[in-house]
Amino acid sequence: MSTLTVVQVGYGVTTQDLGRPGLSDMGLGAAGAADRGSAALANRMVGNRPDAAVLEALLGSVTLRTDAYTVAAVTGAPCPVTIERADGRVHGAAAYEVLLLEPGDTLRVGLAEERLRAYVAVRGGVGVDPVLGSRSWDSLAQLGPAPLTVGDVLPIESSGEASDVGPWPVVDAVPPPLLPWPGDPVVLDVVPGPRDDWFTPDWRTTLTGQEFHVSPDSDRVGVRTAAAAPLVRAVTHELPSEGVESGSLQVPPAGFPVLFLADHPVTGGYPVVAVLTPESVDRAAQLRPGDTLRFRIAR
């Protein structure tokens, strides 16, 4: 079986796939890739099934060595990418380019210039052992294949095609997604409810009429925000815990939304004023501490 050896890990790298949905009755969230669109694109670029496991690298910064012919791709946060051949030659590459690796090659993904999470896919998928049907690390439940450390050897799943052995045909890169103009806020679309009636009638103006900033204590569980004006509750009594989904904007007593991401809890006791659209969940997963965002009511 072909393998990848972890040579260097920066700020944290985990394996992620589509997660383990359907286990909320056991108290487990789905987890999975935080930016599902970027993970799916990386898999498509190398010809994988949608459920193939990829690597999610915080701020990029990961180095891998392959022992076989391998097709790879890096998406998500834009990172400098280089391939060091076994004979010492260095080949410059880029994010969103399909990469053709030979036995002994070292793939170096540098520090992301902007955005937060990069995704590395290899043809066939990362073949670590699944836990409860998924190869995703859940940081809240501390469940799944452990985050990568230097020296780990990762199996590469076979795609079952004859071209798995030998040099790969040349394929094209894909254009990276458009990013906000430097300094402009990231715009996140939301659908009102289910508990928008728990807030004063001007909650829409408060939510959409100002800029929010990402707090430093954000993680895969959720993006914490702060702004000049908080959302004000009209209903002040306690809300019994109820189910929450990825993208929920839960509003704690301080009045500033927490945007739930992949590793969110399955229930919450604060009212959810709105829910992000799926595309906006992906954008939220790429927000860094200090980034600015605005909310927009989806039409």
Side-chain angles (χ1 to χ4, degrees), residues 13-265:
V13 182
T14 61
T15 57
Q16 301 291 341
D17 54 20
L18 296 180
R20 47 184 70 85
L23 300 179
S24 59
D25 58 333
M26 299 172 56
L28 290 176
D35 178 352
R36 294 170 70 91
S38 291
L41 176 58
N43 271 328
R44 287 199 300 273
M45 289 174 67
V46 300
N48 282 347
R49 305 180 311 273
D51 61 348
V54 300
L55 300 181
E56 181 180 281
L58 195 66
L59 293 173
S61 191
V62 62
T63 303
L64 307 162
R65 185 173 59 249
T66 181
D67 65 358
Y69 288 101
T70 306
V71 175
V74 182
T75 63
C79 302
V81 178
T82 58
I83 299 170
E84 182 178 334
R85 302 296 185 190
D87 61 6
R89 291 178 294 125
V90 177
H91 167 64
Y96 296 92
E97 177 183 343
V98 177
L99 310 171
L100 309 177
L101 306 179
E102 300 175 1
D105 282 358
T106 299
L107 172 64
R108 302 184 186 277
V109 181
L111 188 67
E113 300 161 0
E114 52 192 349
R115 305 175 75 187
L116 187 60
R117 294 179 169 92
Y119 292 86
V120 182
V122 291
R123 182 70 179 271
V126 180
V128 295
D129 292 335
V131 177
L132 292 178
S134 171
R135 294 182 168 94
S136 292
W137 168 250
D138 184 332
S139 63
L140 182 64
Q142 296 288 290
L143 180 75
L148 272 57
T149 59
V150 172
D152 285 349
V153 178
L154 309 175
I156 299 176
E157 297 257 277
S158 172
S159 66
E161 298 182 2
S163 57
D164 281 339
V165 180
W168 297 88
V170 175
V171 288
D172 294 331
V174 300
L178 293 176
L179 299 175
W181 191 261
D184 286 354
V186 174
V187 177
L188 303 179
D189 292 315
V190 301
V191 177
R195 296 294 182 181
D196 53 310
D197 57 344
W198 278 50
F199 295 85
T200 56
D202 62 351
W203 73 265
R204 291 173 182 251
T205 301
T206 304
L207 187 69
T208 63
Q210 62 178 333
E211 293 183 349
F212 289 77
H213 301 279
V214 178
S215 300
D217 54 350
S218 300
D219 53 23
R220 275 181 51 90
V221 175
V223 176
R224 297 181 180 274
T225 68
L231 275 70
V232 178
R233 291 264 296 264
V235 179
T236 57
H237 62 258
E238 293 296 321
L239 174 70
S241 291
E242 57 186 3
V244 291
E245 295 289 341
S246 294
S248 295
L249 271 63
Q250 190 183 72
V251 184
F256 303 114
V258 177
L259 287 58
F260 279 156
L261 297 182
D263 291 355
H264 66 84

